[in-house]
Amino acid sequence: MSSGGSSERGTFLLDGEVHVYEPGDSVAMAVVRAGDHPGRGGTLCLAGDCGNCLGEVDGTAYVRTCLTPARPGLAVRRHPADGPPPWDPAARPVQPAPPGEVRRLETEVVVIGGGPAGRAAADEARAAGSAVALFDGAEGHEVVGIFPGPTVIVRIPGEQAMLHVRAARVIVATGAAELHPVCPGNRLAGLLTARAAAGLVSSGISLPDAVVVGPAIPGVEAQSLEGRLVRFEGEARVTAVVTADAGGRETRHACSTVILNLGRAPRDVLARMSDEAVTVIGSAAETFPLPPPPTAGVICPCAGTTVEDLEGAWARGFHEVELLKRATLCGTGTCQGGACLPHLRSFVAARTGAIPDPFTARPASRQITLGEAAADVHLDAFRRTALHDEHLAAGALMDRFGGWWRPWHYGDHLAEHRAVRERVSLGDVSTLGKFIAEGPDAVEFLQRLYPTDVSTIRPGRSRYALLLNERGHVIDDGMIVRESDDRFVLTFTTGGAGNAEMWMRDWLETWALDVRLMDRTMSLGAINVTGPRAPELLGRVGLAAPLRFLEHARVPIAGVPCHVMRLSFTGEASYELHHPVDRSVELWQALMGAGQELGIAPHGLQALFALRLEKGHVIIGMDTELDTTPRRLGMDWAVAVDKSDFLGRVALARTSSLPDHRRLVGLTMPGEAPVEGSPIWSEGDVIGHVTSSFTSPTLGRAVMLGWLKRSPFPGAVEIAGRPAAVTSTPFYDPEGTRARA
Amino acid sequence: MRALEPMPGVRVVGHADALDRLAFPGGVTVLRIAPDELIAVGMADGPTGYAILGEAETGFVGRWLDAGELAAVRRHVEWPLHDGLNQGLVAGVPARVWIGDDGRALLLVAGAYAHELEARL
């Protein structure tokens, strides 16, 4: 029994009423001392093995009051009898606890349990030269879980801190717990285990009218009853216990306290959490006789599971302890089977003739707060481009895309749209995946990697390419930029760059080609200068000779060394300026300054998504699905089927002659664009959905991309209750003259 | 923790044996982040040669840690730090901690993550 409470008499509040405690009392002891029950009934073990004394202590629910030292001013509330403790932040604001601190310890051996077996094991390990950490519940160390590693999590007493201990070996020496009774009336108050009774008596607490079911207990004066336990009787507190002899004849014994000395079971909750490098010793590893199979009453006090519930699940075919646990919730509560598991095993053994193994326990073995559970747990880290502060200064609304913070808009996405279409605009595309592939086998590598014929890309030129997997499904896209015979720059989508790198490195290793691959994604910034006046702006800052469409060159721009790539995602003349990331701000400011007379304005992702939609450009992952092929995108032109082998070629060749019932198509209708995700209807059936949607100010109508998943593909459909036309893309500048201008 | 500062250097990719043979001037801290890749902090120009790709690297920030700062960093690392190069999550942020024979320690993180790491440390 743990106490360790105050050294002086004092008072605390229980459900708003003053309770007196004596020196050394736990909260539960003090309540029992007053003739009351700290919970809502059920057998008290006062050892932390069950959940019958749980309460809310100073605002924290599910606290074992038997392990909570009484101290002045403590506010304790019993949990409701009919359900979990209420949590209504509006009615009862909760002061958030400060985030828990995590401390770490590396050791060779962790011993859990400070009894004779645990201390002997610790001594033996130390004698063998091992570093040992011993955690003893009697000293206030609450081991709440064992995780793979193994890692042992310990609540540090008296502090808002958790200790995470990594060890090579864990020894569990947690001893044995006492059996709880399972019979009608076992939720009454006035029921104690033998050790609990002995502890109370030794603390000077009298147990009037007490009887013992089972062997007599040294030091505890109480009538010892013989026979089988049948039931408890009483309203809230026990007033009698009924036993039966071997012939089934029942005897009723009047009492106000029943002490249950029914036997023991391994205290193995921690041992049942992990089988990795965990050794169980002492009583925790002992095989104790199971109790008689339960026939009636609450078997799992935590979940409220009754024997009748078990019988119902058994009748439905759940014949293993793990299945019965899932079907009835028996053992899923606070004590993780500490009270119910022996009875559940006995229940199964009586029906199968074989004693089943115990079920798994889940951390935590002691209730912990969300703050303690979340201590030192971090949210995903989102990256910022070097231009983050520039975007904020320009009034950007930042949002998270593909692992980065990016500007969604700068206050007016339509104005940004017009800046691109009519003047010149900057976009921060630093988040694109950027790689160098260099080496004698670079062409061979890329020929195998991409479906396009890389050998026909001349140095100084670039090409848009899809990235396919072996099944011919599109997994990413980007640019192949050839710098020399054996050096290429490759770009990928923001969200796909990480996977693309893994994909390339895997295949490079598989093929054993002589190629160096370097990730430059976070080393280089990239700014997209786009719009009809982009060439004019770049001419002012250093690009003397305008590049032709899909050409690239290394040119200083405003004094910053840049790799300039002429391409287009917006549909206007566009130049991506890749540059050392530490020069991004300098370059951005120079471009913005030089572009003032040209009406320059930055554009965010919202405008960019609309601009590319007007051009019919897909966004991988937004417009595509996991099994999207180039054919389904209408992008067969991106696949050189007659070139030598490439990833996906076999699958594409095999399926090319088969009928296909899916197609990503352009859609248009007058008026406002329907929301993305809208179903596409045809002749009363849903035949697809919209993936991208925008009310184009340039075109004066709604433009969309969407999937048709039933052939023959109709020429007219219905979306959001309105007729829409299936049309070819691009919607804007279909000849591409503006992008190539 | 004091603010993180730019840590310019050179990133080199090459055959493992080619990287093994590279020599670096004094004052350069070499972090072998993979068998075929290293970052040489404090170096201005990359080595060249067959099977070697070297590029100027300005994408990292970091700082040399004093004993107190290294202890503070240790509290945010779930795995044991050892002498030499350590790579993994520091306070949930991908980062590198290099600890030299002489006890000097360098914390290095991609600039894109610098704000997160500074805030969490």
Side-chain angles (χ1 to χ4, degrees):
Chain A
M1 186 175 323
S2 175
S3 56
S6 172
S7 59
E8 296 179 4
R9 170 186 276 207
T11 61
F12 65 92
L13 293 176
L14 175 64
D15 292 336
E17 295 185 1
V18 175
H19 265 254
V20 177
Y21 65 82
E22 297 296 330
D25 274 0
S26 67
V27 167
M29 284 175 66
V31 176
V32 174
R33 188 186 292 280
D36 210 342
H37 192 290
R40 296 291 180 182
T43 306
L44 293 175
C45 69
L46 302 184
D49 289 321
C50 68
N52 287 336
C53 68
L54 293 180
E56 182 185 301
V57 177
D58 281 348
T60 301
Y62 293 105
V63 174
R64 284 168 164 79
T65 59
C66 70
L67 301 178
T68 305
R71 60 178 185 273
L74 209 59
V76 181
R77 289 158 59 104
R78 290 185 178 90
H79 288 176
D82 55 352
W87 186 60
D88 184 356
R92 193 160 60 89
V94 175
Q95 187 67 31
E101 180 192 346
V102 165
R103 299 174 195 167
R104 294 191 172 83
L105 175 67
E106 295 280 333
T107 191
E108 290 171 274
V109 179
V110 165
V111 178
I112 305 170
R119 295 203 178 274
D123 290 344
E124 185 181 337
R126 285 194 193 97
S130 297
V132 177
L134 187 147
F135 299 104
D136 184 4
E139 294 179 8
H141 302 127
E142 286 190 278
V143 178
V144 301
I146 301 175
F147 290 86
T151 297
V152 178
I153 310 296
V154 188
R155 178 191 270 136
I156 300 174
E159 301 183 43
Q160 283 287 330
M162 304 293 276
L163 181 65
H164 292 195
V165 189
R166 289 281 300 273
R169 197 154 61 96
V170 176
I171 297 172
V172 175
T174 43
E178 296 175 279
L179 290 177
H180 284 228
V182 178
C183 65
N186 64 346
R187 300 304 299 153
L188 294 172
L191 312 181
L192 297 167
T193 66
R195 285 187 200 152
L200 291 170
V201 170
S202 69
S203 297
I205 299 173
S206 61
L207 303 173
D209 301 326
V211 296
V212 179
V213 178
I217 304 162
V220 177
E221 291 185 11
Q223 179 192 355
S224 184
L225 307 179
E226 294 184 351
R228 177 173 54 87
L229 176 63
V230 177
R231 65 179 176 275
F232 303 105
E233 295 179 352
E235 291 297 324
R237 187 179 179 92
V238 66
T239 55
V241 59
V242 177
T243 58
D245 61 19
R249 192 173 60 189
E250 294 185 355
T251 305
R252 184 176 182 277
H253 312 273
C255 59
S256 57
T257 299
V258 181
I259 303 167
L260 290 312
N261 197 4
L262 303 176
R264 297 190 296 161
R267 186 181 283 134
D268 60 355
V269 173
L270 291 169
R272 287 188 280 114
M273 285 182 187
S274 173
D275 56 4
E276 184 184 356
V278 174
T279 307
V280 189
I281 63 169
S283 299
E286 241 177 274
T287 301
F288 294 94
L290 291 178
T295 55
V298 173
I299 184 169
C300 175
C302 303
T305 309
T306 63
V307 176
E308 188 179 8
D309 295 330
L310 288 185
E311 288 169 341
W314 186 272
R316 297 200 306 276
F318 298 96
H319 291 178
E320 296 179 15
V321 289
E322 292 284 4
L323 297 179
L324 283 166
K325 176 183 177 182
R326 286 156 176 76
T328 65
L329 301 184
C330 180
T332 60
T334 307
C335 73
Q336 286 288 293
C340 66
L341 179 56
H343 300 283
L344 178 61
R345 294 176 73 197
S346 180
F347 176 90
V348 173
R351 286 158 176 77
T352 63
I355 297 175
D357 289 336
F359 55 60
T360 306
R362 312 283 180 200
S365 70
R366 292 284 184 271
Q367 275 46 62
I368 57 177
T369 65
L370 287 175
E372 289 169 331
D376 208 33
V377 172
H378 297 282
L379 297 175
D380 288 346
F382 278 80
R383 290 168 282 184
R384 289 182 184 175
T385 74
L387 297 170
H388 190 86
D389 290 341
E390 295 296 312
H391 300 318
L392 293 178
L397 172 69
M398 306 299 289
D399 209 340
R400 286 169 279 206
F401 287 90
W404 292 80
W405 285 102
R406 304 189 69 182
W408 178 238
H409 63 64
Y410 296 86
D412 185 347
H413 71 100
L414 293 178
E416 296 160 31
H417 192 278
R418 284 194 298 275
V420 174
R421 287 280 179 256
E422 298 167 6
R423 304 187 304 275
V424 62
S425 176
L426 301 185
D428 182 1
V429 291
S430 302
T431 59
L432 290 172
K434 302 179 279 290
F435 293 83
I436 298 171
E438 182 182 297
D441 293 335
V443 172
E444 177 65 22
F445 171 54
L446 300 181
Q447 283 285 62
R448 297 188 194 185
L449 191 71
Y450 287 106
T452 191
D453 188 351
V454 178
S455 68
T456 61
I457 305 172
R458 298 191 308 276
R461 300 286 297 174
S462 62
R463 183 177 298 163
Y464 170 82
L466 297 172
L467 194 66
L468 309 180
N469 63 18
E470 305 98 311
R471 293 178 292 281
H473 299 154
V474 177
I475 56 176
D476 207 4
D477 67 353
M479 299 299 294
I480 303 172
V481 181
R482 188 165 193 174
E483 293 206 88
S484 66
D485 285 347
D486 61 359
R487 180 180 165 111
F488 294 80
V489 169
L490 312 173
T491 67
F492 299 95
T493 61
T494 297
N499 281 334
E501 180 179 10
M502 287 189 286
W503 185 250
M504 287 191 290
R505 291 194 187 281
D506 276 356
W507 284 110
L508 202 48
E509 189 172 323
T510 301
W511 294 328
L513 294 172
D514 191 3
V515 176
R516 260 67 63 201
L517 188 66
M518 184 184 287
D519 178 11
R520 305 294 284 157
T521 301
M522 289 191 279
S523 307
L524 300 176
I527 297 171
N528 185 27
V529 185
T530 182
R533 303 191 75 175
E536 187 179 349
L537 170 60
L538 289 173
R540 293 182 179 193
V541 289
L543 187 64
L547 300 173
R548 289 186 301 157
F549 189 58
L550 297 180
E551 279 187 343
H552 63 96
R554 291 193 178 267
V555 181
I557 301 291
V560 176
C562 288
H563 189 184
V564 183
M565 303 170 189
R566 173 77 194 274
L567 38 78
S568 184
F569 192 51
T570 63
E572 305 297 337
S574 300
Y575 301 78
E576 270 183 23
L577 313 182
H578 292 212
H579 56 276
V581 69
D582 62 328
R583 309 286 297 273
S584 283
V585 172
E586 174 188 347
L587 180 60
W588 179 272
Q589 291 179 346
L591 291 166
M592 288 297 290
Q596 287 303 309
E597 290 178 10
L598 307 177
I600 195 169
H603 64 273
L605 276 187
Q606 188 175 11
L608 182 63
F609 284 2
L611 290 158
R612 68 87 203 181
L613 177 55
E614 289 178 337
K615 286 296 293 181
H617 294 319
V618 300
I619 293 179
I620 306 297
M622 180 171 167
D623 298 305
T624 62
E625 300 179 329
L626 291 176
D627 59 354
T628 293
T629 58
R631 179 184 176 192
R632 288 172 174 172
L633 291 176
M635 295 175 71
D636 285 331
W637 53 265
V639 180
V641 287
D642 52 349
K643 79 165 188 172
S644 59
D645 198 19
F646 60 88
L647 290 170
R649 183 177 185 276
V650 172
L652 293 183
R654 182 168 51 79
T655 58
S656 63
S657 60
L658 301 176
D660 198 348
H661 307 290
R662 295 193 221 173
R663 195 70 79 235
L664 186 76
V665 297
L667 301 152
T668 185
M669 62 164 59
E672 290 292 310
V675 295
E676 289 171 353
S678 294
I680 298 174
W681 294 80
S682 176
E683 298 176 349
D685 290 332
V686 174
I687 62 162
H689 69 280
V690 174
T691 60
S692 295
S693 180
F694 174 59
T695 309
S696 168
T698 311
L699 303 167
R701 55 194 164 97
V703 293
M704 295 160 274
L705 292 176
W707 280 103
L708 302 183
K709 297 187 176 181
R710 192 176 72 188
S711 62
F713 303 118
V717 294
E718 187 176 293
I719 303 171
R722 290 183 284 154
V726 177
T727 182
S728 60
T729 58
F731 303 101
Y732 173 77
D733 185 27
E735 303 301 323
T737 52
R738 294 181 69 88
R740 291 176 169 79
Chain B
M1 175 72 69
R2 294 165 291 165
L4 301 173
E5 299 169 349
M7 287 283 168
V10 172
R11 182 181 281 219
V12 185
V13 170
H15 287 167
D17 52 355
L19 296 190
D20 290 342
R21 288 194 296 271
L22 288 177
F24 295 91
V28 172
T29 303
V30 180
L31 310 182
R32 188 72 171 263
I33 61 174
D36 63 348
E37 188 164 8
L38 62 82
I39 299 169
V41 177
M43 196 170 176
D45 297 312
T48 57
Y50 178 73
I52 293 289
L53 169 59
E55 294 284 328
E57 178 59 82
T58 58
F60 287 94
V61 297
R63 71 168 306 108
W64 290 96
L65 307 174
D66 60 32
E69 288 171 326
L70 179 58
V73 168
R74 279 185 198 277
R75 285 198 290 273
H76 292 277
V77 180
E78 291 189 20
W79 29 276
L81 292 178
H82 52 71
D83 284 353
L85 179 63
N86 301 269
Q87 304 190 88
L89 296 179
V90 175
V93 178
R96 297 178 170 94
V97 180
W98 177 84
I99 302 174
D101 296 337
D102 55 1
R104 293 192 314 149
L106 174 65
L107 173 66
L108 200 68
V109 63
Y113 283 118
H115 65 289
E116 290 273 12
L117 189 59
E118 286 181 330
R120 296 177 184 199
L121 292 182

